[in-house]
Amino acid sequence: MKKILYIVLDGLGGRPEASLGYKTTLEAAYTPHMDSLAKKGQLGLMDPISEGIAPESDAAVLSILGYDVDKYYTGRGPLEAHGSDIEVKDGDLAWRANFATVDEDTLRILDRRAGRNLTTEEAKALAEEVNSKVKLEGADFIFKATVGHRGVLVIRKNDGKLSANVENIDPGYKRHGPYSIAITNPPVEVQKCIPLDESFEAKESARLTNEFVMKAFEVLKNSEINKRRRNEGKKPANIILLRDAGDSLPKIPTLKELYGLSFGSIVEMPVERGIALLTGMKEVPIEDSTNYKLWADKVLEALKEFDGVYAHLKGPDVPGHDGLVDKKKESIEKIDAEFFSNLLPYLDFSKVVIAVTADHSTPCSLKAHSEDPVPLMIVTSGLQWDGSEYFGESSCAKGKLGRIKGKDLLPLLVEIARK
Ligand code: ZN
Ligand code: ZN
């Protein structure tokens, strides 16, 4: 059986941009290495979850790893927590958190990401202060800063369970079943957490969440770190916005149980790590995730050890959110020039099936994830070239793979690898 190499470029997909002569960032980017793959394999489009859904990364990744999200997804918070090495028991309330900046009198949000310049060190020190100074009535909590302005909060009641059926504090997202949907033109005020049903558990979740947010605000407002940031002309990280609560981890079968195969994973962000660990993939740590040559080396090493390797590179998503067309194009070019150039010459396609795709599209013109299907290509010996000349949305739309659903990709790769 061949080995499976599954590469996901976060937010790779896009829409035609006027400033690029109506090409997408992927089409406009100079990507000779990815294009060389397109000239050997088959292309297609993939709806990460299903047509018409603009997914967040977590549900998308679960889906493109072959899991039915309608059946398994329990919210982002528990996955973030699991990937940050915080235990989530059934009945714990786990939130995805963001440090943000509010006006201290009106609680109006001035910056959703505290200027996007909060260092991980500053965030970790602020989290430590919150953990040591905030006490909740009838519950314990762990608040952990992860990467930059991002973090995770888990609240555990001293007796009894909590319910995740509560609305987000973060006004940018509204609950929709276990999912949150990004809102266009959201309200600027920090929201109160409200229960979405009449249960005692949901009411307690809302009470404890509101208590945490306001007590943490008092601590952060007065923190020395924020005083220093104000003096340096930076925005204080004075509020913690919470969204995507979950009250249990998804109970999913592992990839080994499903396919009998061992997988290694190379990922950057806690939420992807959480999912990778849940699926039973072994973690291959990457010491410096900005070094794409190192990513290539790690992938090649891991391919020797495992039946399959999942590599998830964050690159193109962030400039997509920021609406920076040139930066997104550069990010794709950098991945091609530094990752694929150091990877492809060492792959033997009689022994490896490679798939390159994305977890969702992040068009610069939207500054958000979109429902557009993502580009996909699969290359291995024995899989006949479909005539594609380059890797891009338009060529993928004409590719032989057609348009598939995210949850069908991994089973397809396993089938191709077994041929
Ligand atoms: Zn993503
Ligand atoms: Zn994103």
Side-chain angles (χ1 to χ4, degrees), residues 60-173:
V61 170
L62 203 57
S63 179
I64 66 173
L65 287 173
Y67 296 93
D68 181 346
V69 287
D70 287 336
K71 190 167 160 193
Y72 293 117
Y73 185 71
T74 61
R76 181 170 186 145
L79 297 169
E80 294 267 0
H82 192 60
S84 311
D85 295 317
I86 302 175
E87 185 191 31
V88 180
K89 290 186 182 169
D90 288 358
D92 287 354
L93 185 68
W95 290 97
R96 159 69 195 256
N98 270 6
F99 280 105
T101 307
V102 286
D103 179 286
E104 292 177 357
D105 299 319
T106 62
L107 287 189
R108 288 165 76 93
I109 297 170
L110 302 174
D111 192 307
R112 293 186 42 82
R113 300 183 180 95
R116 238 203 226 287
N117 57 13
L118 188 69
T119 65
T120 299
E121 289 66 38
E122 284 174 322
K124 285 199 190 305
L126 288 170
E128 219 166 277
E129 239 181 298
V130 168
N131 282 308
S132 66
K133 291 182 181 166
V134 173
K135 301 283 174 251
L136 296 180
E137 230 165 281
D140 291 323
F141 73 89
I142 298 174
F143 173 61
K144 191 167 179 177
T146 55
V147 182
H149 61 274
R150 303 168 187 86
V152 57
L153 170 71
V154 177
I155 303 177
R156 180 176 299 164
K157 255 193 101 176
N158 295 344
D159 53 354
K161 292 185 171 184
L162 293 169
S163 160
N165 200 19
V166 288
E167 191 50 86
N168 296 318
I169 286 283
D170 185 336
Y173 296 85

Side-chain angles (χ1 to χ4, degrees), residues 16-23 28 325-326:
E17 300 285 349
S19 66
L20 299 174
Y22 295 95
K23 286 180 171 178
V325 173
D326 291 340

Side-chain angles (χ1 to χ4, degrees), residues 10 57 314 317 321 360 362 369:
D10 202 307
S57 287
K314 181 80 179 155
D317 185 53
H321 281 284
H360 50 76
T362 313
H369 300 179

Side-chain angles (χ1 to χ4, degrees), residues 242-257:
L242 301 171
R243 63 177 159 106
D244 302 337
D247 54 26
S248 65
L249 278 169
K251 293 172 182 72
I252 56 172
T254 63
L255 296 176
K256 184 105 203 173
E257 286 163 350

